Amino acid sequence: MRKLIALMTASLMLAWACTDDPAPAEVKYNENDLAVLKEVYANMDVWYPKYPCDYSRPETMIDVKWENIGGEYRVVGFAPMSARYLHVKESSHEMSPRLGDLPYLRTLNYFLYSFEGKVPREIFKCPLETLAITGLSGKVSGDFYPEIYKISNTIRSLLISGIDLGIDSKELEKIFDFPNLKSVCFTSTNITGHIPARFGEQDYSELNISYNHFTSCDLDLLYTKGTFPYLRGNDIYCEVPYSITKTEKWDTIVQSVDEYEERSGKGFKVLPPEPGE
């Protein structure tokens, strides 16, 4: 029996060795994407080996998500300095416009205290599905907003915080026409104006527009059936009919708005009940 097994094993090994099928080709990392990453990290003054951005071993780049596209690994996700590896600190810098040369980039998360200056419009050439940019330094300008329309057909999650966008509610409302958008967060972005009822008609997992400078809202906003927006930290004064405080929706509303303060004249003021209520 042992001789038979040995003979069969040898035959299989010989058949494998004699096959004409070539060995699987090694999937390579795209040279353009590697060159872009090299410039991006250099722009932040971050270098290997203090931080895992070794271009000879792209699989070790903890900030990068790769995907096999067309037989090559391409960058589809980038969250720079996400691990704060070994307390490495990046230098003050502007976001590199070279990020716009990543043609398959779908996710970009940029949360860096050292991030200053302008958001490059080039990033909106990418087919972004998730975009999260936070101006933690307080020195990031936001004249990029109209460029967001270029990703209207791909974007699903949009988070902008700590950046003065220089827009009003009418301009912001245009994003509600983006067909795939499911999550919206615009906080501390100095958006001004009036909030119409349409802001409460969206079927989003989140609609956070807190800490801006909205001054008023439609009363119908309180009765809409969509995602009620998170509105804390604005300049809104709204008189709330007592009757709505007896509805199930009030539990959501009261957690999303500021209680009225007589001193500031801001907030959502619940009116006394009408006779018979």
Side-chain angles (χ1 to χ4, degrees):
M1 177 63 73
R2 291 181 179 178
K3 292 183 179 180
L4 179 60
I5 293 174
L7 181 61
M8 292 175 62
T9 301
S11 299
L12 288 172
M13 292 180 65
L14 181 61
W16 176 264
C18 295
T19 182
D20 293 330
D21 295 336
E26 180 182 358
V27 179
K28 296 183 178 180
Y29 289 81
N30 181 267
E31 292 295 334
N32 169 76
D33 292 8
L34 287 172
V36 170
L37 291 172
K38 188 173 185 178
E39 290 190 35
V40 170
Y41 280 116
N43 179 58
M44 294 188 294
D45 196 25
V46 175
W47 302 89
Y48 179 80
K50 289 186 177 181
Y51 194 75
C53 49
D54 183 358
Y55 314 108
S56 65
R57 299 178 60 203
E59 71 279 2
T60 66
M61 292 182 172
I62 58 178
D63 295 338
V64 184
K65 182 178 180 181
W66 300 91
E67 186 175 301
N68 187 339
I69 299 176
E72 286 186 306
Y73 285 125
R74 307 301 301 261
V75 175
V76 296
F78 186 54
M81 302 295 289
S82 59
R84 300 286 166 178
Y85 189 80
L86 295 180
H87 307 290
V88 172
K89 293 184 178 180
E90 68 281 0
S91 299
S92 297
H93 67 282
E94 291 191 0
M95 187 189 300
S96 173
R98 283 284 275 147
L99 287 168
D101 293 327
L102 296 172
Y104 296 98
L105 184 65
R106 300 196 299 264
T107 298
L108 176 60
N109 295 314
Y110 217 88
F111 298 87
L112 301 174
Y113 285 97
S114 59
F115 173 32
E116 301 177 357
K118 294 183 177 181
V119 176
R121 299 188 175 197
E122 286 84 354
I123 66 172
F124 297 101
K125 297 189 300 181
C126 305
L128 294 170
E129 296 177 5
T130 297
L131 175 62
I133 304 176
T134 300
L136 295 173
S137 68
K139 300 177 183 179
V140 181
S141 61
D143 60 352
F144 64 87
Y145 183 81
E147 299 297 309
I148 287 180
Y149 302 148
K150 292 183 178 179
I151 57 173
S152 62
N153 290 323
T154 59
I155 193 69
R156 296 176 180 273
S157 178
L158 186 56
L159 185 156
I160 308 294
S161 183
I163 302 173
D164 186 352
L165 295 179
I167 64 172
D168 59 20
S169 56
K170 292 182 179 179
E171 189 73 16
L172 179 61
E173 186 178 349
K174 295 178 182 179
I175 67 172
F176 297 151
D177 294 324
F178 294 2
N180 298 304
L181 192 59
K182 295 299 180 183
S183 176
V184 175
C185 182
F186 282 79
T187 60
S188 301
T189 49
N190 289 327
I191 305 175
T192 61
H194 174 78
I195 299 178
R198 189 182 181 194
F199 275 65
E201 297 171 352
Q202 311 309 311
D203 184 20
Y204 293 157
S205 60
E206 178 184 21
L207 178 52
N208 188 342
I209 49 175
S210 57
Y211 301 99
N212 285 291
H213 293 290
F214 297 106
T215 53
S216 60
C217 66
D218 283 352
L219 189 59
D220 287 344
L221 179 69
L222 305 178
Y223 298 93
T224 52
K225 296 182 178 180
T227 304
F228 191 85
Y230 194 81
L231 298 172
R232 289 188 180 274
N234 279 286
D235 302 323
I236 300 171
Y237 171 71
C238 179
E239 295 183 345
V240 179
Y242 177 80
S243 59
I244 198 172
T245 66
K246 301 301 180 181
T247 66
E248 292 184 4
K249 186 161 188 177
W250 179 247
D251 292 338
T252 300
I253 296 174
V254 75
Q255 296 177 42
S256 303
V257 301
D258 291 318
E259 185 178 348
Y260 175 70
E261 288 187 355
E262 189 170 350
R263 182 179 61 178
S264 65
K266 300 174 184 177
F268 284 66
K269 182 179 182 180
V270 178
L271 299 176
E274 296 288 338
E277 286 186 324

